[in-house]
C-alpha cells in the first residue's frame, strides 16, 4: 500500500513539474515567434494644379523622391538660414519654365520624410525653399505653392519643382581622457610591536563621447582593488523578470516544451498506475 501511494504521489509530482516546464517552454516559443508590425512611411502623393497665371500648386519632381541628404549627388549648404549642424537639410528650386517672375509663395511648402512631415521655409530669394530632417531621413514627397504672376509656365517642369542640393548633418567623434591613480603604501613600526598597513588602489576612468546628430554619449569604466578589502560583484541579466531568466527562444524553448509534455505524460501514467494497483 505504501509503495503504491508513493508511486501515485511521484507521478502527480512529475505531472505538475511537466506542466510547469511546458508552460515555461511555451512562453519562450511565443516570445520568439511574436512579430511587432512596424509601420512604414510611404509617398502620400501630390496633385499639381494646371499651369496658368496666379497661385498654383506644384509638386516635387518624382525622379528625386526616395533620396537622403547623404545619398544625393549635389551637396552644398547654400540657401539655408540658421542651420543646425545636427540636422539634414534639403534645398528646393522652382524652375522658371518660360515664366521668369514665378516664385514660391504662401501657404508654406510641406515636405514629407519617412521620419515625419515638416514645413519648408521660403528663402530670401523666393525661387528657393529649404526643409530640415533628422540625420538619415528619406525624402518621400513635397508640395508647394508657386505664384506665376500673370504668366503661364510651359514645358515639362511647369507644374513641378526640383531638389537642387542637400546639406547632410555633421557627425564626428571626440575621445575623452583616461586617468589612472595608485594609492599609497604605509608601513608603521613601534617598539615592542610591528604594525604593517598596506593599501593599494587603482582607479581607471575612460570617457568616450561620440556626437551623432547632435547627441553625445559617454561611457565610464571604474575598477578598484584593495588588500584586505572586498572584491567587486558581478551581475548578469538576460531577459528575465525579477531575477528569473526566461528560456531562450527557438530550439531551447522547444526542448523545454517537449520535455514538459513528456513529464506530464509519464507522471500521469505513474499516477494512474498507482491508483489502479491500490484499488486492486
Amino acid at each position: 500500500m505504501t509503495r503504491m501511494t508513493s508511486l501515485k504521489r511521484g507521478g502527480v509530482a512529475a505531472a505538475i513539474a511537466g506542466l510547469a516546464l511546458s508552460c515555461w517552454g511555451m512562453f519562450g516559443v511565443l516570445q520568439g515567434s511574436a512579430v511587432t508590425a512596424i509601420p512604414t512611411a510611404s509617398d502620400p502623393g501630390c496633385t499639381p494644379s494646371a499651369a496658368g497665371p496666379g497661385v498654383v500648386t506644384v509638386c516635387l519632381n518624382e525622379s528625386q523622391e526616395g533620396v537622403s541628404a547623404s545619398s544625393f549627388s549635389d551637396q552644398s549648404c547654400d540657401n539655408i538660414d540658421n542651420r543646425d549642424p545636427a540636422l539634414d537639410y534639403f534645398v528646393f528650386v522652382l524652375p522658371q519654365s518660360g515664366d521668369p517672375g514665378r516664385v514660391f509663395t504662401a501657404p508654406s511648402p510641406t515636405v514629407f520624410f519617412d521620419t515625419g512631415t515638416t514645413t519648408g521655409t521660403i528663402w530670401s530669394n523666393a525661387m528657393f525653399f529649404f526643409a530640415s530632417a533628422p540625420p538619415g531621413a528619406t525624402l518621400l514627397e513635397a508640395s508647394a505653392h508657386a505664384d506665376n504672376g500673370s504668366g503661364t509656365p510651359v514645358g515639362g517642369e511647369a507644374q513641378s519643382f526640383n531638389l537642387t542640393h542637400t546639406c547632410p548633418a555633421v557627425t564626428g567623434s571626440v575621445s575623452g581622457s583616461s586617468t589612472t591613480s595608485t594609492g599609497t603604501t604605509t608601513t608603521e613600526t613601534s617598539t615592542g610591536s610591528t604594525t604593517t598597513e598596506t593599501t593599494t588602489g587603482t582607479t581607471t576612468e575612460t570617457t568616450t563621447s561620440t556626437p551623432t546628430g547632435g547627441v553625445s554619449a559617454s561611457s565610464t569604466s571604474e575598477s578598484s582593488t584593495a588588500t584586505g578589502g572586498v572584491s567587486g560583484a558581478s551581475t548578469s541579466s538576460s531577459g528575465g523578470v525579477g531575477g528569473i531568466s526566461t528560456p531562450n527562444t527557438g530550439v531551447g524553448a522547444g526542448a523545454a516544451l517537449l520535455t514538459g509534455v513528456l513529464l506530464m505524460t509519464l507522471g500521469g501514467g505513474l499516477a494512474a498506475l498507482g491508483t489502479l494497483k491500490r484499488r486492486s
Side-chain angles (χ1 to χ4, degrees):
M1 181 71 68
T2 302
R3 183 178 179 183
M4 294 301 102
T5 300
S6 299
L7 183 64
K8 180 180 178 180
R9 289 178 178 174
V12 172
I16 293 174
L19 177 62
L21 188 59
S22 296
C23 292
W24 196 32
M26 180 62 71
F27 173 74
V29 171
L30 294 177
Q31 188 181 44
S33 60
V35 177
T36 302
I38 301 176
T40 56
S42 59
D43 179 2
C46 176
T47 302
S49 303
V55 177
V56 298
T57 299
V58 288
C59 302
L60 175 64
N61 187 330
E62 289 190 356
S63 66
Q64 296 175 326
E65 296 173 358
V67 301
S68 64
S70 59
S71 69
F72 194 66
S73 57
D74 193 351
Q75 297 182 6
S76 168
C77 294
D78 294 337
N79 312 109
I80 298 172
D81 293 329
N82 303 315
R83 177 187 168 226
D84 182 349
L87 298 175
D88 283 346
Y89 283 82
F90 297 74
V91 182
F92 305 88
V93 64
L94 183 65
Q96 296 303 286
S97 299
D99 184 5
R102 67 192 307 235
V103 292
F104 288 116
T105 189
S108 298
T110 302
V111 186
F112 301 88
F113 296 98
D114 62 342
T115 55
T117 304
T118 189
T119 299
T121 301
I122 299 175
W123 199 52
S124 55
N125 180 346
M127 287 178 57
F128 300 90
F129 80 85
F130 63 90
S132 61
T138 298
L139 176 63
L140 301 178
E141 181 64 274
S143 63
H145 291 82
D147 186 352
N148 296 334
S150 59
T152 298
V154 294
E157 295 182 322
Q159 298 166 289
S160 65
F161 58 91
N162 297 317
L163 175 64
T164 175
H165 54 270
T166 61
C167 178
V170 176
T171 59
S173 60
V174 179
S175 297
S177 59
S178 177
T179 304
T180 301
S181 61
T182 303
T184 60
T185 299
T186 304
T187 302
E188 182 179 328
T189 304
S190 61
T191 305
S193 63
T194 300
T195 302
T196 302
E197 181 180 345
T198 303
T199 303
T200 302
T202 302
T203 302
T204 302
E205 183 174 346
T206 303
T207 303
T208 302
S209 176
T210 304
T212 301
V215 179
S216 61
S218 62
S219 174
T220 302
S221 174
E222 182 174 338
S223 62
S224 62
T225 304
T227 304
V230 181
S231 60
S234 175
T235 303
S236 176
S237 174
S238 60
V241 178
I244 302 175
S245 61
T246 57
N248 293 328
T249 58
V251 178
L257 179 60
L258 179 60
T259 303
V261 172
L262 292 176
L263 277 176
M264 284 194 296
T265 303
L266 177 61
L270 289 175
L273 180 61
T275 300
L276 291 175
K277 288 192 174 182
R278 183 177 179 181
R279 289 179 178 176
S280 61

